[in-house]
Amino acid sequence: MCGISAIYSSSPVANQLYDSIIALQHRGQDAAGIITYDDRMHKYKGLGLASEIFSSEQLSLLTGNIGISHNRYPTHGEFGHGEIQPVWTSVPYGIAMSHNGQLTNYDELVIEITKEKRYLNTTSDSEVLLHMFAKELDKNGQPNNSEEFFNHLCDAVSSIFHKVQGAYSVTSLIIGKGLVVFRDPRGIRPLVRGEKVNDNGTTDYIFASENTMFYALGYEPKGNVLPGELIYIDNDGKLFSKRLVKEEFNPCIFEYVYFARPDAILNDVSVYRSRLRMGQNLAYAWKKKYPDVTPDIVIPAPSTANTAALSFAHEIGVRYSEGLYKNPFIGRTFIMPGQDKRKKSIRHKITPQETEIRDKKVLIVDDSIVRGNTSREIVKMVKDFGAKEVYFVSACPPVQHPCYYGVDMPTYEELIVNSKNGSDERILPDILGVDILMYQEIEDLVEAVTRIGDHHIDTPCMACLDGHYVVNGRKVHDPI
Ligand code: SF4
């Protein structure tokens, strides 16, 4: 999971791109970068949080009215300065690219690229995607105008859709040509669009992983880049778009469970509302399964689960309490690199409030249980602070399979349900140390995401839950 954004404007874009990185910081905290262009490219990138990387002096050097940015959260490739996006090449044009997602046929694409004497500097799949795009664009020669260039782009991106498997939402800038965005045919990773009409009648465009910065920057939401769609804005601000392929629309369900900010609207579905519905469905299931068990208090594992816990508490008629205080200045544990760092950060991040917990039957709502580290630690903390009984409910069904589409949960062994005895429902509560453990059912989660809204989702990707890999219908354990 990463965060990307791209802006075409009638005024300099560097500060807006910086604001976009800040608004998407929750999607990746390892590194960030911005590339703008006027007569040439201007780049700056670094490791860490955006606020640690960019200064106003550096931003003032990123001149130009077109640019792209990236928040990095590594899913493929090593972790170093070379992997920080945007990536760029100078053949056949100066092309820069930001990519959110993960390619599943990386090895075969590397062979195709290196056969054509293009050389890779990193192990990043985003660099491979950049070279595939450049290679395909190189086939048609120099265009005479924007219409002709758009046709070249259509050919190049159609070929990418044909050859490149996996998840990819892409923003790209091309020197002398303009801004290009496209989204893989299944629309696995999000990509939304917005517009702003200026006083002089010109239109500014923004594309981003989430619409979380639109209001602050003055953009009106204009829906999504559709799965399989290519959009090109030329140097003069003329917009071209075409949906090149139409397949099943399978956006990632985990965006709604965990990744996206609650104020985001992705694929025409409000993340906040979907989380309210997750809590509601979970409460219906609780009342059915445990009609005689009523907790004294409902506490979210902060803060992604706050929304689901709120509606859960409302639905079962029990007080909602913020009995676990979260320090907002420490990063999200799920996306922190390295297990040690994750374990250490949970206690530094969350503090129980004894007055809310002591001698009470506490029901904790969490968004999901992946590795189980956070859940185990939270349960221990709540017990340390005197809870009489602890019930644990997860707004997401058991995460049982790795994700190959851009989320860092790469091995079966790392998932708690696959740990020794972890798949045994009678034993997993013991591993977590709780009196009752209840998961959301898959159909209830899908219902929560798709219940309302003028959306066009066919079936969300939930490969990490049900083992059905939506790209090429891969099944559990198929090598990819
Ligand atoms: Fe999202 Fe899970 Fe699908 Fe990965 S496998 S894209 S995390 S739903």
Side-chain angles (χ1 to χ4, degrees):
M1 185 187 66
C2 297
I4 59 174
S5 65
I7 298 176
Y8 173 98
S9 176
S10 52
S11 54
V13 292
N15 286 322
Q16 291 189 63
L17 288 167
Y18 174 75
D19 290 341
S20 302
I21 290 178
I22 296 284
L24 296 173
Q25 190 74 84
H26 58 286
R27 298 184 68 89
Q29 300 163 1
D30 289 350
I34 294 175
I35 293 187
T36 60
Y37 93 75
D38 35 33
D39 54 339
R40 62 191 176 88
M41 280 194 205
H42 307 280
K43 323 169 184 99
Y44 198 80
K45 58 185 190 174
L47 297 169
L49 299 173
S51 57
E52 297 160 355
I53 299 166
F54 298 97
S55 66
S56 48
E57 289 75 31
Q58 282 142 2
L59 287 172
S60 70
L61 299 175
L62 300 173
T63 52
N65 297 355
I66 303 180
I68 59 175
S69 69
H70 190 270
N71 297 69
R72 178 168 162 83
Y73 153 75
T75 51
H76 192 283
E78 289 152 9
F79 179 53
H81 207 275
E83 277 76 18
I84 305 172
Q85 297 188 47
V87 287
W88 65 86
T89 181
S90 49
V91 181
Y93 308 95
I95 304 175
M97 181 180 278
S98 288
H99 161 223
N100 176 204
Q102 191 175 347
L103 312 186
T104 56
N105 58 337
Y106 172 82
D107 291 341
E108 82 192 44
L109 295 173
V110 168
I111 292 168
E112 178 168 342
I113 284 166
T114 47
K115 242 186 351 203
E116 303 218 358
K117 306 224 176 335
R118 286 179 171 271
Y119 298 101
L120 299 168
N121 295 312
T122 70
T123 54
S124 158
D125 58 349
S126 306
E127 192 188 10
V128 168
L129 188 56
L130 168 74
H131 282 288
M132 283 300 293
F133 181 54
K135 180 174 92 66
E136 296 299 330
L137 209 48
D138 204 9
K139 284 180 179 169
N140 275 326
Q142 287 294 328
N144 293 312
N145 52 44
S146 294
E147 283 73 17
E148 213 173 298
F149 186 60
F150 181 60
N151 288 336
H152 291 188
L153 283 169
C154 287
D155 290 347
V157 176
S158 294
S159 183
I160 294 230
F161 287 160
H162 182 66
K163 292 179 178 174
V164 178
Q165 294 167 8
Y168 43 99
S169 283
V170 174
T171 59
S172 173
L173 60 81
I174 303 178
I175 292 273
K177 303 293 179 199
L179 193 63
V180 177
V181 301
F182 57 92
R183 189 176 178 193
D184 72 72
R186 300 291 182 136
I188 296 173
R189 301 256 71 87
L191 194 57
V192 295
R193 56 186 280 188
E195 291 178 15
K196 174 165 58 178
V197 179
N198 301 304
D199 292 342
N200 62 3
T202 58
T203 303
D204 292 355
Y205 297 95
I206 186 167
F207 302 89
S209 299
E210 298 176 17
N211 59 323
T212 39
M213 73 297 287
F214 284 13
Y215 178 68
L217 297 180
Y219 288 91
E220 284 284 323
K222 293 287 176 190
N224 305 279
V225 177
L226 299 173
E229 186 180 24
L230 161 71
I231 297 177
Y232 166 52
I233 299 165
D234 76 6
N235 265 343
D236 299 322
K238 188 171 175 190
L239 186 143
F240 301 78
S241 77
K242 192 170 183 181
R243 193 167 182 187
L244 298 170
V245 292
K246 194 166 182 219
E247 295 182 8
E248 225 181 281
F249 185 15
N250 308 126
C252 167
I253 206 161
F254 227 73
E255 291 279 352
Y256 299 94
V257 168
Y258 176 80
F259 296 139
R261 239 170 64 168
D263 55 327
I265 295 182
L266 302 181
N267 311 305
D268 301 309
V269 173
S270 154
V271 173
Y272 182 75
R273 285 300 178 105
S274 75
R275 287 181 189 165
L276 282 178
R277 296 192 288 263
M278 284 174 210
Q280 199 178 45
N281 287 351
L282 208 47
Y284 297 153
W286 176 271
K287 285 195 279 192
K288 210 164 151 186
K289 204 165 177 187
Y290 303 105
D292 302 324
V293 184
T294 308
D296 297 316
I297 205 148
V298 171
I299 295 179
S303 56
T304 313
N306 290 8
T307 317
L310 192 67
S311 57
F312 183 96
H314 177 79
E315 217 49 66
I316 64 166
V318 167
R319 186 162 71 87
Y320 168 88
S321 163
E322 288 168 10
L324 295 164
Y325 171 74
K326 181 183 174 190
N327 182 342
F329 300 102
I330 298 180
R332 300 180 95 183
T333 49
F334 182 84
I335 62 172
M336 279 184 158
Q339 195 75 337
D340 287 348
K341 218 170 173 180
R342 276 190 192 102
K343 276 185 183 159
K344 194 172 165 222
S345 79
I346 294 165
R347 271 176 183 236
H348 287 82
K349 189 169 76 167
I350 294 174
T351 311
Q353 304 208 56
E354 189 169 356
T355 48
E356 293 298 291
I357 290 168
R358 184 156 296 281
D359 297 328
K360 293 197 174 72
K361 288 184 278 178
V362 175
L363 187 145
I364 300 167
V365 179
D366 206 348
D367 52 82
S368 57
I369 306 171
V370 181
R371 295 170 177 87
N373 301 324
T374 309
S375 313
R376 257 191 301 234
E377 281 288 310
I378 283 177
V379 169
K380 189 166 181 320
M381 287 182 204
V382 169
K383 285 188 163 173
D384 285 348
F385 279 72
K388 205 156 63 182
E389 288 182 29
V390 180
Y391 317 131
F392 203 99
V393 300
S394 166
C396 184
V399 177
Q400 307 190 62
H401 309 283
C403 172
Y404 300 111
Y405 306 137
V407 178
D408 179 26
M409 39 180 157
T411 67
Y412 280 88
E413 294 72 35
E414 279 186 309
L415 302 169
I416 189 169
V417 289
N418 299 330
S419 62
K420 195 166 179 285
N421 297 326
S423 57
D424 188 328
E425 276 193 2
R426 293 159 306 169
I427 294 173
L428 191 53
D430 286 344
I431 296 177
L432 288 179
V434 296
D435 298 283
I436 296 176
L437 170 67
M438 193 186 86
Y439 284 102
Q440 184 95 266
E441 296 294 331
I442 286 189
E443 51 273 24
D444 288 342
L445 175 63
V446 174
E447 197 278 338
V449 172
T450 58
R451 187 191 304 175
I452 297 173
D454 189 18
H455 63 76
H456 303 281
I457 298 171
D458 291 306
T459 313
C461 173
M462 23 189 193
C464 51
L465 310 179
D466 66 5
H468 175 71
Y469 289 92
V470 294
V471 175
N472 294 341
R474 287 192 179 89
K475 298 290 187 305
V476 182
H477 295 308
D478 278 359
I480 63 174

